[in-house]
């Protein structure tokens, strides 16, 4: 991470990427680190403090936009949205560790508002202005373009939305158009402004990337098993409580996209697995909150019909038996669920 911000300072000093500076990371990385590099270049902060300040600012922006979108979910999904919020706050503040400031960290922070808005779109909600949706789309386009493998996430989300809402819905989603436009303009800018990178550096990158630090598949799979356990627990809860929703689908597709990215890189690095870990814990939070809402929900009391005094005396004995039977059938599922959960736990 320190290398990234130091490299950004060199660019601010006037050196050119592809000729003066040779690096196989995509140029979007240096755009993301440019604010940190500028603070360090001006002498306001040292490089480590500049990175921390900017990335916590990215985090706050991500939380603000994501939580603002999740406020408008359907009533039945509000518990799942609360689980998303709590899980993301925990994992995004306590879990980054060595992944803090990495490209994966950027992709998650910039892509989370887009995922929250995708859940809204799937519900048919459109309570966000065009300006806000475009800003979310541009932010997501930057985050998913840091590495080409991350584009698997929006690709899966968009295919699902098109299948659910129809192809015409694409023109009603400014964030999707803004995301695609950002990626296309970024690729055009690479060819227009830094052709040396595209013709020389990229060829070197393709020839050496999968050769160095290549982990064996067993090690790659072992790390993946470590970070995916939360998602499996969340899946079990969702199946047992039958609470699968569109929010579950959005988070699951993001998890799948980042899992594809992890295996394509085939390194098994800790920060490569970080997005999978975040999506796994968020999925667990969504499933747990939605499941608990269903388990502890109370059925509204039914209106008591008017009964004549003559019929009432005749039905009194049967009514008491029916109440007892109903109480048994209401409490048996809760007992069975708790018993099953404890046995599996």
């Amino acid at each position: 991470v320190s290398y990234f911000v130091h490299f950004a300072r060199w660019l601010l000093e006037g050196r050119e990427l592809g000729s003066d500076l040779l690096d196989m990371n995509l140029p979007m990385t240096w755009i993301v680190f440019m604010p940190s590099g500028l603070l360090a270049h001006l002498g306001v902060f040292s490089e480590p403090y500049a990175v921390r300040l900017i990335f916590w600012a990215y985090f706050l922006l991500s939380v603000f936009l994501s939580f603002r979108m999740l406020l408008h979910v359907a009533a039945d999904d509000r518990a799942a949205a609360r689980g998303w919020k709590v899980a993301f706050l925990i994992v995004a503040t306590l879990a980054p560790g060595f992944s803090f400031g990495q490209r994966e960290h950027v992709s998650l922070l910039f892509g989370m508002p887009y995922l929250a808005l995708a859940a809204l779109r799937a519900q048919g909600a459109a309570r966000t202005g065009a300006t806000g949706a475009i800003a979310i789309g541009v932010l997501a386009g930057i985050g998913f373009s840091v590495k080409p493998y991350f584009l698997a996430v929006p690709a899966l989300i968009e295919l699902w939305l098109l299948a659910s809402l129809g192809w015409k819905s694409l023109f009603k989603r400014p964030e999707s158009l803004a995301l695609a436009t950002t990626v296309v303009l970024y690729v055009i800018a690479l060819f227009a402004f830094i052709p040396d990178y595209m013709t020389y550096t990229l060829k070197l990158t393709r020839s050496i990337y999968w050769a160095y630090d290549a982990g064996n598949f067993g090690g790659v799979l072992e790390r993946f098993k470590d970070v995916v356990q939360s998602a499996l627990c969340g899946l079990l809860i969702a199946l047992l409580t039958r609470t699968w929703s569109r929010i579950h689908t959005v988070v699951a597709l993001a998890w799948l996209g980042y899992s594809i990215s992890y295996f394509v890189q085939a390194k098994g690095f800790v920060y490569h697995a970080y997005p999978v870990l975040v999506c796994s814990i968020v999925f667990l939070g969504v499933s747990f909150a939605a499941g608990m809402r269903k388990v502890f929900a109370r059925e509204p009391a039914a209106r008591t019909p008017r009964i004549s005094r003559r019929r009432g005396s005749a039905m009194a004995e049967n009514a008491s038996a029916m109440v007892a039977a109903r109480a048994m059938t209401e409490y048996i599922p809760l007992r069975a669920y708790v018993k099953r959960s404890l046995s599996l736990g």
Side-chain angles (χ1 to χ4, degrees):
V1 175
S2 297
Y3 162 71
F4 293 147
V5 67
H6 199 74
F7 201 100
R9 292 182 65 182
W10 282 341
L11 293 175
L12 291 171
E13 292 172 358
R15 305 184 189 186
E16 294 184 3
L17 184 64
S19 55
D20 299 326
L21 302 174
L22 184 65
D23 185 80
M24 67 180 182
N25 290 289
L26 291 177
M28 187 63 81
T29 302
W30 318 119
I31 296 176
V32 170
F33 276 90
M34 201 60 71
S36 302
L38 181 60
L39 290 177
H41 181 68
L42 296 176
V44 180
F45 295 103
S46 63
E47 291 180 357
Y49 281 103
V51 172
R52 293 169 189 164
L53 176 65
I54 293 301
F55 270 80
W56 281 117
Y58 290 161
F59 166 76
L60 293 176
L61 177 63
S62 176
V63 167
F64 171 75
L65 293 175
S66 303
F67 288 15
R68 186 179 179 184
M69 295 298 104
L70 292 174
L71 286 175
H72 303 298
V73 298
D76 293 340
D77 292 333
R78 287 174 185 169
R82 285 193 291 269
W84 183 331
K85 295 176 184 179
V86 173
F88 180 65
L89 282 176
I90 293 174
V91 72
T93 54
L94 301 180
F98 290 107
S99 302
F100 187 90
Q102 287 288 351
R103 282 71 45 91
E104 283 74 9
H105 192 197
V106 175
S107 177
L108 273 169
L109 295 180
F110 284 13
M112 196 60 65
Y114 166 78
L115 298 177
L117 184 52
L120 276 185
R121 298 299 189 192
Q123 294 177 348
R127 297 183 181 179
T128 180
T131 303
I134 291 173
I136 289 175
V138 171
L139 197 66
I142 295 173
F144 293 130
S145 297
V146 173
K147 285 186 177 182
Y149 328 110
F150 298 156
L151 292 173
V153 177
L156 291 173
I157 294 292
E158 292 299 324
L159 288 174
W160 172 65
L161 288 176
L162 289 175
S164 302
L165 306 177
W167 66 271
K168 293 182 180 180
S169 66
L170 178 63
F171 302 101
K172 300 178 182 179
R173 292 185 275 115
E175 68 280 0
S176 300
L177 298 176
L179 191 159
T181 303
T182 302
V183 175
V184 171
L185 291 178
Y186 168 58
V187 175
I188 294 175
L190 293 181
F191 284 99
F193 298 107
I194 45 175
D196 289 343
Y197 178 85
M198 302 302 295
T199 58
Y200 180 67
T201 306
L202 201 58
K203 290 181 179 180
L204 291 177
T205 301
R206 289 199 303 264
S207 64
I208 69 171
Y209 179 78
W210 281 275
Y212 81 95
D213 284 344
N216 61 76
F217 183 76
V220 174
L221 185 60
E222 192 66 29
R223 188 176 298 281
F224 183 78
K225 288 165 56 179
D226 291 338
V227 300
V228 79
Q229 294 176 15
S230 300
L232 297 178
C233 292
L235 178 62
L236 181 63
I237 293 174
L239 293 177
L240 289 176
T241 58
R242 299 179 182 179
T243 53
W244 191 279
S245 66
R246 294 178 178 88
I247 291 182
H248 287 81
T249 303
V250 169
V251 179
L253 289 175
W255 175 90
L256 178 59
Y258 282 121
S259 297
I260 293 173
S261 170
Y262 173 80
F263 282 108
V264 169
Q265 294 177 89
K267 303 291 185 183
F269 295 162
V270 173
Y271 61 86
H272 286 178
Y274 176 68
V276 183
L277 174 65
V278 173
C279 291
S280 296
I281 294 179
V282 170
F283 187 80
L284 175 60
V286 167
S287 297
F288 181 80
M292 291 301 100
R293 176 184 179 276
K294 182 175 182 180
V295 168
F296 293 106
R298 293 293 184 263
E299 181 181 347
R303 181 178 297 179
T304 304
R306 288 191 172 185
I307 304 174
S308 64
R309 188 174 300 176
R310 185 180 301 175
R311 292 183 61 192
S313 58
M315 295 174 61
E317 184 176 351
N318 291 336
S320 60
M322 290 171 62
V323 169
R326 182 179 178 184
M328 288 297 294
T329 57
E330 284 182 351
Y331 283 95
I332 282 176
L334 178 58
R335 288 208 308 267
Y337 174 79
V338 173
K339 182 179 180 181
R340 186 185 298 121
S341 300
L342 291 177
S343 63
L344 291 172

